[in-house]
Amino acid sequence: MAHRVKQRGSISGQALDPGANGDQPAANGSAQLVDEVEPMVEDAEETNAGEELSSQFSQSINDALARRPTLPGFADPRMERINSIGLPPWFIDRCRRAYLSVPFESAVECRVLGVTSAAYGEGKTSISIGIATAMAVDTKKPTLLIECDFAAPSFYKFFGLTEAGGLSEWLEGGSRLRIVRGAALVPNIYVIPSGAAQSEPARFFYQLVDRNVLDGLRGIFGNVVIDLPPMLNISYGSLASALADRLLIVARSRTTLTSDLETLVTRIGRDRVSGIVLNGTDQRTPSWLRPLL
């Protein structure tokens, strides 16, 4: 008989829940992703100054990040920004503990972390956003959040973006690479949405690997967080998980089956999984006391 996941069953011991539904952002909180921001392009431009980027993908990144000339007094209509998302400080802090538990090599210039789950509804997207926010705040480096759930995209709901025109469309050659700027309080976050829902998501992962997309991103961003699809019931899970250097699995307390987690870890490979983030646990600490802890 399959057992339900309990709080002590967590590998990494991180208990998170940003709201009643793990895939929905909380309504309030001081750590926010907001839509009023001066674009943080200078860091990327200074890092690559004087370098000749030869590949088509590298040129696409440069085009997406480059500041475009505008007439004095006019805003650039192509400068897209993400909408505000309120994330409670305690949630950001626990996402911070989750990423700090991942054993990245100290000398690595770009940390690529994938976040996945066994099934939908376990909170992986909220936790991906929280981890990217914490990494951007802590490291002060340009931090990229990529949506790679091509079958069921949700970034457009979280960030108030149009659904069409994302990573899948760019891979198909139908649009320029879309990198959305954001965050007045966290100005070094960038977002690449996956685009419209796709019926054959596996082919996009083949293209990401074949075109060395992540290698191109490593040269510009200091942190990359990938919101991956749930991997238990898909045939291309090993291909998707290979995009990230390290992986975190999100499980929901009293919902995720222990047997499902065991199967997922076995398929991915125990050496690839850096921890299991337990989501949806009861918060026993009073709200007035949490800021003091």
Side-chain angles (χ1 to χ4, degrees):
M1 180 176 179
H3 298 285
R4 300 287 180 179
V5 175
K6 303 298 183 182
Q7 183 165 356
R8 293 186 179 179
S10 163
I11 293 178
S12 62
Q14 309 301 323
L16 307 176
D17 193 357
N21 184 332
D23 276 336
Q24 296 298 324
N28 298 306
S30 61
Q32 297 184 2
L33 300 179
V34 296
D35 60 354
E36 298 175 359
V37 56
E38 289 295 327
M40 293 291 291
V41 182
E42 291 81 0
D43 290 342
E45 292 176 343
E46 291 175 4
T47 301
N48 296 277
E51 296 183 3
E52 187 68 28
L53 300 177
S54 58
S55 72
Q56 182 179 0
F57 175 65
S58 296
Q59 187 59 49
S60 296
I61 297 176
N62 288 342
D63 291 343
L65 289 176
R67 187 187 298 274
R68 291 170 174 77
T70 57
L71 294 175
F74 290 87
D76 186 349
R78 294 168 295 181
M79 188 169 292
E80 193 176 10
R81 298 184 175 93
I82 58 177
N83 283 347
S84 173
I85 294 183
L87 295 175
W90 65 264
F91 178 68
I92 296 294
D93 184 61
R94 293 186 180 184
C95 288
R96 175 178 290 110
R97 297 181 199 175
Y99 94 76
L100 287 175
S101 70
V102 178
F104 286 102
E105 296 181 6
S106 57
V108 68
E109 294 184 359
C110 176
R111 294 181 289 185
V112 181
L113 176 63
V115 181
T116 187
S117 60
Y120 285 106
E122 308 203 55
K124 69 176 181 63
T125 297
S126 294
I127 291 173
S128 297
I129 295 172
I131 288 177
T133 301
M135 294 178 83
V137 170
D138 294 349
T139 66
K140 309 300 182 185
K141 295 180 179 180
T143 298
L144 180 64
L145 176 61
I146 310 176
E147 182 178 35
C148 283
D149 193 347
F150 298 104
S154 61
F155 274 20
Y156 71 97
K157 299 176 183 178
F158 278 84
F159 296 113
L161 304 172
T162 56
E163 184 177 3
L167 184 57
S168 59
E169 285 85 356
W170 175 77
L171 288 170
E172 291 286 84
S175 65
R176 66 186 291 271
L177 183 62
R178 185 185 186 190
I179 300 181
V180 186
R181 298 154 173 86
L185 295 179
V186 192
N188 50 327
I189 280 185
Y190 299 84
V191 174
I192 297 181
S194 68
Q198 301 292 329
S199 59
E200 299 178 0
R203 61 194 176 97
F204 296 102
F205 286 101
Y206 281 106
Q207 290 187 51
L208 286 171
V209 172
D210 187 55
R211 296 169 65 174
N212 298 318
V213 171
L214 267 296
D215 290 341
L217 295 172
R218 290 175 190 271
I220 294 179
F221 296 95
N223 308 298
V224 176
V225 178
I226 308 175
D227 181 29
L228 293 166
M231 294 191 183
L232 188 60
N233 297 315
I234 60 176
S235 60
Y236 52 91
S238 59
L239 186 64
S241 64
L243 294 177
D245 297 335
R246 298 287 186 272
L247 291 167
L248 289 174
I249 296 175
V250 177
R252 179 165 286 278
S253 178
R254 297 180 295 276
T255 300
T256 308
L257 297 174
T258 302
S259 59
D260 287 347
L261 281 179
E262 292 174 348
T263 301
L264 180 57
V265 170
T266 300
R267 289 184 182 179
I268 294 175
R270 294 182 181 274
D271 58 329
R272 303 279 339 277
V273 178
S274 296
I276 294 179
V277 180
L278 189 63
N279 196 23
T281 57
D282 296 331
Q283 293 295 322
R284 300 180 181 275
T285 305
S287 58
W288 64 267
L289 183 57
R290 290 175 197 159
L292 303 178
L293 298 178

